[in-house]
Structure formats: C-alpha cells, structure tokens
C-alpha cells in the first residue's frame, strides 16, 4: 500500500505542476465536494460548513457538502461519486485509518486534489494519499489536556480516571484517547473507557452509570463533542464531585467551563477546518499551488479565563 500511495502522490504532483499555468479560468468556478463523516444534526460541524461556504464565496468555488452519516460504505460511495462527476477537489474527514485508503488514492490518481480535515489517518501522510491535513494534532492535544489536569488536580500514581469515547474505533477517539493515556501512563494512572455513542441522552446515562459503578474515579475526560457536552450533567447525575475536561465547543460546554463544572476544553477551531481545505483546493486547481498541512489546534486550551471570548461565536466561527 505504501508504494501505491507514493505513486499516487507523484502522479498528483505532476498533475498540479501541469495545471500551474491556470487551467481553470478565473471566472469559471472550481468544483469541490466536502464530505463530513457524521450527519447534519451534529452541531460541531456547523462552523466547519460555514467556513467552507465562506471560502467557496471568496474563491469562486462550486461547493457541494455531503454527509456520510457515520457509514464508511456511504463515505466511499460519496468519494467515488465526486470523482465521477469531475470535481477538482475533495475535502474529506478521514475518520478511519483504513476504510477510505483505496477510494482516496484512486481520487488522487485521477488528478483530484484531496485534503483531509477534522480527522486524519493515524499515520498521517504515510498512511493515506491525501495531499494535506487541516485539523488539530489530536494526540498532542489529548496529552496536553491530560498533563494539565494531572497538575491542576494532583492526580497521582494509583489513581483511576474515566475517558468515555463516542466511537472508540474512530481515528479522533484513538488519537485523543491515546494522548490522554500517554499522559496518565507517565504518572502511573489507570484509564477506564466505554463506548458512549453519539446520542447525547444515551451518552450521559452511560457515563453517569459508569461513575456510579466506580466511585474510585478521580477525573473525567470527554473525548469528543458529545461526551464533552453531557459530561457535567453525567457527573451531576451520578452525585459525585470530580474534575472534568474535554474537547470542542458548544453552548453547554462554554456554560460548564464558565460555571466551574468543567475545568477546560480543547478547541480545534472548526471554522478553519472548513475554510482552509476549500481555499487550498481552489488555489491548487487554479494555480498549481501545493496544499499544505494546517494545525488548527494551536492555542486550543480554553479554561475559565479564556472561554468568554469565544462564546458569542459559538455555532458560526467557533
């Protein structure tokens, strides 16, 4: 597979160089498809879509946003359909390190610019043919959150913490959870986890029951937007008093941080995860400019002192 990916990358590079003279006229729209691996009800992706739409307006891109509804077969079908319709570029959330390798490599070999966003292959460019990734360094962010909570709350060797994960096999959960586990293992702290799912009410109940069943848990780490949104409620339902940190932004998360029910959240700036891939697809298609990785998780840590600045922009730019 690595040889195939290398070949695909070389072919893609030749295609971009060939188009450097501006194969697409300035007045003609670039055609791009954005593929989100969940469904439209997941509010986290609202700023992603806004960012993509704003970039499309700025760079004259005919943008089609599609949702895979957490179905890898559907996501592969969407990638293949986009290629068949002659798009210039695809922005795709790579929520699995294996499920989309073949379809993405085929797209790149066909001369389509493919940029990963939000989720990446756990091996990065070595594991997938995508030409760039726009998103948070998720393992590093999980590690940072873990270390900050160890230091803030005196977590120590022999303690147990709880890290529920919406979709444990998804690349974001493996990476973020892995970062948390790395921080904990360095200090001799055990990590317990459970599949929480994507339904907020069900996730809150699963988390609360786990906390009731294990009164020795010393801290809770949300892994994604669902577990982070309902975490404070689950802790309250369980009748325990433990520190809680997580990921992403929602009104409930901001309110929890402001009230002290949540220590902090790691913000991955989803607006940028929508804007930059579409802008880069346009520039690659028109001018042969090479797509480049963008770490949208820099300065991600938002605690009570910093969270108020972002509150007015929840759902749009944050």
């Amino acid at each position: 597979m690595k040889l195939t990916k290398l070949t695909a990358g070389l072919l893609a590079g030749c295609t971009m160089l060939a188009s450097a003279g501006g194969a697409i006229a300035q007045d003609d729209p670039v055609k791009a498809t954005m593929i989100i691996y969940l469904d439209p009800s997941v509010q986290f992706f609202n700023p992603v879509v806004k960012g993509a739409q704003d970039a499309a307006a700025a760079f004259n891109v005919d943008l089609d946003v599609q949702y895979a509804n957490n179905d890898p077969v559907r996501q592969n079908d969407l990638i293949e359909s986009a290629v068949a319709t002659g798009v210039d570029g695809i922005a795709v959330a790579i929520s699995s390190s294996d499920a989309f390798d073949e379809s993405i490599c085929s797209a790149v070999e066909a001369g389509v610019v493919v940029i990963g966003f939000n989720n990446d292959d756990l091996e990065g460019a070595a594991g997938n043919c995508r030409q760039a990734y726009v998103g948070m360094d998720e393992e590093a962010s999980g590690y940072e959150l873990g270390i900050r909570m160890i230091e803030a709350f005196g977590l120590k060797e022999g303690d147990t913490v709880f890290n529920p994960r919406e979709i444990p096999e998804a690349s974001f959960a493996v990476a973020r959870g892995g970062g948390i586990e790395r921080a904990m293992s360095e200090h001799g702290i055990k990590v317990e986890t459970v599949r929480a799912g994507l339904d907020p009410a069900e996730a809150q109940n699963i988390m609360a029951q786990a906390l009731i069943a294990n009164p020795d848990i010393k801290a809770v780490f949300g892994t994604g937007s669902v577990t982070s949104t309902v975490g404070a409620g689950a802790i309250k339902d369980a009748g325990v008093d433990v520190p809680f940190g997580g990921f992403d932004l929602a009104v409930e998360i901001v309110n929890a941080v402001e009230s002290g029910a949540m220590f902090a959240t790691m913000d991955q700036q989803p607006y940028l995860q929508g804007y930059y891939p579409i802008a880069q697809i346009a520039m690659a298609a028109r001018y042969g400019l090479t797509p480049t990785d963008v770490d949208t998780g820099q300065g991600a840590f938002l605690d009570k002192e910093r969270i108020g600045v972002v509150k007015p922009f929840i759902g749009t730019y944050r």
Side-chain angles (χ1 to χ4, degrees):
M1 178 61 81
K2 291 186 184 298
L3 180 59
T4 301
K5 292 173 182 176
L6 176 60
T7 303
L10 291 172
L11 287 170
C14 292
T15 300
M16 287 187 191
L17 287 173
S19 65
I24 299 176
Q26 196 68 32
D27 293 338
D28 294 335
V30 171
K31 296 180 181 179
T33 294
M34 168 169 273
I35 301 171
I36 295 169
Y37 73 99
L38 295 177
D39 64 71
S41 70
V42 181
Q43 296 182 26
F44 168 84
F45 286 100
N46 292 345
V48 175
V49 173
K50 176 172 174 52
Q53 291 172 337
D54 286 354
F59 291 92
N60 191 17
V61 175
D62 182 1
L63 175 65
D64 179 30
V65 179
Q66 295 287 337
Y67 294 84
N69 301 331
N70 200 31
D71 181 348
V73 174
R74 173 172 168 77
Q75 182 152 326
N76 278 318
D77 288 344
L78 289 171
I79 294 169
E80 292 167 4
S81 294
V83 175
T85 60
V87 297
D88 301 295
I90 298 172
V92 57
I94 305 173
S95 56
S96 167
S97 289
D98 302 309
F100 314 117
D101 286 355
E102 185 175 345
S103 60
I104 290 176
C105 278
S106 294
V108 172
E109 289 170 353
V112 177
V113 179
V114 180
I115 298 180
F117 72 94
N118 183 249
N119 289 172
D120 194 18
D121 191 291
L122 293 172
E123 294 182 84
N128 191 278
C129 292
R130 83 330 179 250
Q131 289 131 307
Y133 168 63
V134 178
M136 168 186 277
D137 184 334
E138 297 185 300
E139 198 277 344
S141 295
Y143 180 80
E144 179 183 351
L145 180 62
I147 291 297
R148 284 181 179 267
M149 288 191 57
I150 288 170
E151 294 174 346
F153 300 104
L155 301 177
K156 62 186 184 302
E157 184 174 357
D159 284 346
T160 298
V161 300
F162 180 41
N163 176 218
R165 303 174 186 180
E166 290 89 340
I167 312 169
E169 66 276 12
S171 57
F172 82 89
V174 176
R176 296 176 189 178
I180 293 167
E181 289 176 345
R182 178 162 66 93
M184 297 302 124
S185 66
E186 290 178 356
H187 293 78
I189 299 169
K190 181 182 177 183
V191 178
E192 290 194 355
T193 186
V194 68
R195 177 183 289 271
L198 294 169
D199 178 78
E202 183 179 2
Q204 182 166 328
N205 182 60
I206 289 171
M207 292 167 65
Q209 293 303 315
L211 289 168
I212 292 170
N214 191 344
D216 294 328
I217 287 173
K218 302 299 184 185
V220 177
F221 293 86
T223 308
S225 60
V226 175
T227 53
S228 298
T229 296
V230 305
I235 291 169
K236 183 177 180 181
D237 291 347
V240 298
D241 182 16
V242 293
F244 166 50
F247 285 79
D248 300 334
L249 286 172
V251 172
E252 295 88 347
I253 292 173
V254 174
N255 290 341
V257 174
E258 285 186 326
S259 71
M262 187 175 188
F263 169 58
T265 189
M266 304 299 285
D267 172 30
Q268 55 181 314
Q269 301 189 106
Y271 178 88
L272 298 181
Q273 294 179 5
Y275 191 95
Y276 283 135
I278 302 307
Q280 291 200 60
I281 286 170
M283 289 185 283
R286 280 210 173 88
Y287 314 121
L289 294 173
T290 304
T292 186
D293 293 348
V294 179
D295 182 358
T296 66
Q298 298 182 51
F301 181 79
L302 297 178
D303 59 6
K304 194 171 185 178
E305 293 182 1
R306 300 186 64 212
I307 197 75
V309 174
V310 309
K311 190 171 185 178
F313 307 109
I314 297 296
T316 54
Y317 294 96
R318 302 302 292 261

